[in-house]
Every structure is written in C-alpha cells, then in structure tokens.
Amino acid sequence: MRYRWNVGSLAWITHRITGIILTFYLIAHIFVLSHLKDPTAYNKIMAIMKNPLLKVGELILFAIILKHVFAGLRITLLELGISTKYQKTMAYIGAIAVALLWIIGAFYFLREVI
Amino acid sequence: MSKYYTFKIKRYLPNEKPITRWDEFRVKLNNMERVLDGLIKIKETMDGTLTFRKSCAHGVCGSCAMKINGKNRLACQTLVKDLPEIIEIEPLPSLPVIKDLVVDMTLFFQKNDKVLPYLINEEPPPQRERIQSPEDQHKILESITCIMCGSCTTSCPVFWSDKEYLGPSALLKAYRFLFDTRDKATEQRLKAIAGQDGIWRCHSIFNCVEVCPKEIDITKHILKLKRLAIKKGFKGGQE
Ligand code: SF4
Ligand code: FES
C-alpha cells in the first residue's frame, strides 16, 4: 500500500530503523568485547578493525547513533509537554544537528585514521 | 476557469472478475469544484455503478472520507484545483472494502464504543442542564469538533499493523470526556484507554494530524492523556 510520507512518519520510521540497527550492533559489539581476553587476541582484533571498510562502517554507525539520539530527544520533549506545534521544527533542527555533529566528528575521526 | 482532470479510481466489485481494477474517467471541472463534484459527475453521466458515500457535501457529516492522491481526506472538502491533473482515488486504507470507495466502518465505531462515548455522572441532575463554564468548555472545544470521518485512524501506521489499537479518533473521544469537568468517570475511562491497546501504542507519528479535515491536533490530545495517566499512576490513582 502506498501512503504519503510526512515529517512525522519519516522521523518515526528512521527512529525505528536506526534503533533496530543499533540493537544488532550492540550485540555484535558485546560479542567482540567478550573476546578481548589477552594481548594477542586484542592485537588481532585491533588489526581487523584497521580495515578501511570497517572505518567507513564506523562513520555510518556514528550517523545512525546521532540520528537515533536526536529522534529520541524530540519524542521525549513532546512527551514532556513541548507543544506539538513544534514537532516539525524539532525534526528539522534535529536533522541539522545530526549533519553538523557528523561532519565535525567525521573530520576528527578521519584526521586520526588517515 | 474549467479544466479536464483524470480521475483514476480504484474499483472493488465483489461480483465481477477481477474483483479490483483501476478505472479512468476524464471530467471537466472548474476551480470552485471539489473531488466530490467530480465523482458525482462520473456517477451521473459516465458510470452509474460507481459507489461512494456522501451526504452533506459540506464537510460536516464525515461520510465522504477517502484516500485521494495518497492521503486521506474528505472528497467534499478537497478542491480539484489544489490537486495535480491526475487524481488518484482509493477507499480509506486498512478497513474492509464493501464496494468501490465504500468501506466497512464497523471496526472504527466499535473502537469508539470502547471508550464510553457518553457523559457519566451519577450525581442527581440539577433542575435544568448541568452547567459548564465557557472556560471549561474551552478545554475540550477542539476535541468536540471531530466529525468521526475515520481519516485519522485509517491513516495511522499503528492501526494498519494492529487492528486492536483504539486509534486516534477513539482516543480523542476519550479525551473529550476525560477533560469534561461535568464527567465523573475518570477511573473507568483511564482503565479503558491505558491498556495495551490504548494510549501507549501511540508513537507520535502525526499521520492523523496531517489528515484531519477539522485540523484537530490529535497527537497533542493523546500526549495529554498519557501525562494524565502517568500522574494518576504515580499518585496511586488519586488526583
Ligand atoms: S479527529 Fe479528525 S480525522 Fe479523526 S475522525 Fe475526527 S474529524 Fe476525522
Ligand atoms: S459529504 Fe459530508 S463530509 Fe463530505
């Protein structure tokens, strides 16, 4: 079924999708951490983490986290009683904040790794 | 100024094969006319079997809600000049279709019944009516303007996926009585809406607000209901 998207439903669906991705990421993350038992294992895993593909993945992960955080903030503010009149404005501000913080973060991140 | 519009209408004919098909009609309409005028012209001059609901034609009765170009709206309130030349019309989503644009609203009205849509006050009534001050009236004014067209509930993704959910329209009705100062059944009402199929299933998606022909901010009302339920919950049900 096709139905027209709007700011609210887009904010909701991205909040959901990023949330599901983060759940799976956290499981994978804890799984990897549980293998850091000794220096050799640590070095081995850190060597894998140097793979440029994983670096790109980390940048994407950073964007997903930011998006999820700001979507959550918007919903929390609405639930606390910030007027629903501002729901679209808050979604736009959130999107701008995500973009800005991602650019700043990516800049420092890339400076580290390159 | 008149212009030709193409009405693409999703037909549902239970006695024909195939049951569903898309029909196209070319209709000439001026810029004062609404989608409903187009539908009536089609029915009167091109295809008398086309079926849709309508009554008041002035956005009052709520019977002509349908999905027009991907969005629920009242056919009698949507000016054709605000739409592109191709107008795509489908029945309201997620309710069983009876014929063409007519859906079975039973489920929608059952939800309404679940929130006890009537005043409950056991106190003996005064000589005349139970007085309500203009200020108190103002608290529920927005929610009273609902015409029960069903646009909101059938636009809600939560309702699409879970037919048990009360939906925006019924929750708005619950608000209308919970915040009515003459009503005394707060406990009973909260019980009806705070279960697993009630207010907590609303995820503030705002699809309902986008479509409401009476421009009611339904999500605002549901959020207020949530806050009321939390307040009551913390105080052990006491005010
Ligand atoms: S709240 Fe608006 S969209 Fe929902 S039933 Fe009432 S008038 Fe229709
Ligand atoms: S016909 Fe009554 S609301 Fe459209």
Side-chain angles (χ1 to χ4, degrees):
Chain A
M1 181 182 75
R2 281 171 306 138
Y3 195 86
R4 187 181 294 184
W5 291 97
N6 55 63
V7 176
S9 53
L10 282 171
W12 165 73
I13 199 83
T14 45
H15 195 188
R16 287 287 144 134
I17 293 171
T18 52
I20 292 167
I21 295 173
L22 287 178
T23 310
F24 283 106
Y25 166 73
L26 274 179
I27 296 169
H29 185 62
I30 292 167
F31 177 76
V32 171
L33 285 187
S34 68
H35 283 79
L36 296 175
K37 291 197 194 89
D38 52 70
T40 36
Y42 180 88
N43 287 334
K44 217 169 105 193
I45 288 171
M46 284 305 134
I48 299 172
M49 293 303 290
K50 288 221 162 60
N51 186 329
L53 265 181
L54 283 177
K55 292 292 168 206
V56 175
E58 280 179 344
L59 277 177
I60 297 172
L61 178 70
F62 182 46
I64 290 173
I65 293 172
L66 283 174
K67 173 68 219 167
H68 194 74
V69 165
F70 280 94
L73 270 175
R74 169 172 167 274
I75 289 296
T76 311
L77 289 175
L78 286 170
E79 303 254 331
L80 286 176
I82 300 287
S83 172
T84 43
K85 267 197 304 227
Y86 305 122
Q87 64 102 352
K88 286 188 186 171
T89 320
M90 286 199 284
Y92 297 141
I93 294 174
I96 293 168
V98 168
L100 279 180
L101 288 173
W102 187 82
I103 290 170
I104 296 169
F107 173 75
Y108 284 104
F109 180 81
L110 289 173
R111 214 171 59 171
E112 280 295 310
V113 295
I114 295 175
Chain B
M1 198 195 79
S2 302
K3 197 173 129 186
Y4 271 100
Y5 292 88
T6 304
F7 277 59
K8 274 182 74 183
I9 304 175
K10 190 172 184 184
R11 306 292 302 267
Y12 180 91
L13 302 147
N15 299 327
E16 277 176 41
K17 273 210 162 95
I19 291 180
T20 46
R21 62 163 198 254
W22 285 87
D23 278 354
E24 282 189 28
F25 303 94
R26 294 275 289 164
V27 198
K28 197 175 178 190
L29 295 163
N30 68 40
N31 58 8
M32 300 287 280
E33 286 181 297
R34 295 140 310 154
V35 173
L36 184 64
D37 297 306
L39 289 174
I40 292 172
K41 264 184 203 166
I42 294 169
K43 190 170 173 72
E44 284 178 351
T45 62
M46 294 175 220
D47 185 347
T49 66
L50 180 68
T51 311
F52 52 89
R53 276 199 191 104
K54 73 110 177 140
S55 180
C56 69
H58 288 81
V60 183
C61 69
S63 49
C64 67
M66 52 189 75
K67 191 165 121 192
I68 301 169
N69 285 1
K71 187 180 163 189
N72 294 351
R73 359 185 182 204
L74 297 180
C76 70
Q77 201 176 281
T78 310
L79 286 166
V80 282
K81 76 167 171 56
D82 297 334
L83 296 172
E85 222 184 286
I86 295 178
I87 302 174
E88 230 179 70
I89 306 177
E90 291 167 74
L92 286 179
S94 79
L95 287 175
V97 183
I98 299 171
K99 187 166 184 255
D100 295 344
L101 304 174
V102 176
V103 292
D104 183 353
M105 302 281 283
T106 315
L107 188 63
F108 174 76
F109 288 112
Q110 277 170 357
K111 308 276 171 212
N112 193 57
D113 293 345
K114 283 194 183 146
V115 300
L116 319 167
Y118 38 80
L119 190 86
I120 302 178
N121 189 340
E122 304 295 338
E123 288 162 21
Q127 277 282 296
R128 297 180 60 182
E129 74 271 27
R130 296 182 198 272
I131 305 281
Q132 186 181 41
S133 69
E135 292 76 41
D136 286 345
Q137 162 82 1
H138 232 85
K139 287 182 196 154
I140 52 173
L141 198 56
E142 194 178 344
S143 58
I144 287 177
T145 54
C146 169
I147 56 171
M148 302 194 58
C149 64
S151 293
C152 54
T153 297
T154 56
S155 77
C156 175
V158 179
F159 182 72
W160 295 341
S161 68
D162 178 9
K163 295 285 174 295
E164 295 299 312
Y165 175 44
L166 284 174
S169 176
L171 292 176
L172 187 76
K173 190 68 79 197
Y175 178 99
R176 184 247 171 277
F177 286 102
L178 266 164
F179 284 82
D180 188 324
T181 44
R182 297 164 298 179
D183 191 271
K184 297 284 177 257
T186 308
E187 302 296 310
Q188 209 181 336
R189 295 188 184 284
L190 277 178
K191 226 174 147 174
I193 59 160
Q196 59 171 354
D197 301 319
I199 38 177
W200 309 116
R201 305 247 28 211
C202 169
H203 299 299
S204 306
I205 302 170
F206 291 97
N207 262 17
C208 53
V209 183
E210 294 289 334
V211 300
C212 179
K214 296 287 140 193
E215 294 177 4
I216 304 172
D217 191 340
I218 308 159
T219 311
K220 176 180 83 184
H221 292 84
I222 300 178
L223 286 167
K224 275 194 193 166
L225 287 174
K226 285 182 182 173
R227 285 199 287 278
L228 177 73
I230 291 173
K231 226 161 66 191
K232 291 272 177 194
F234 272 122
K235 293 184 181 166
Q238 302 300 306
E239 184 85 61

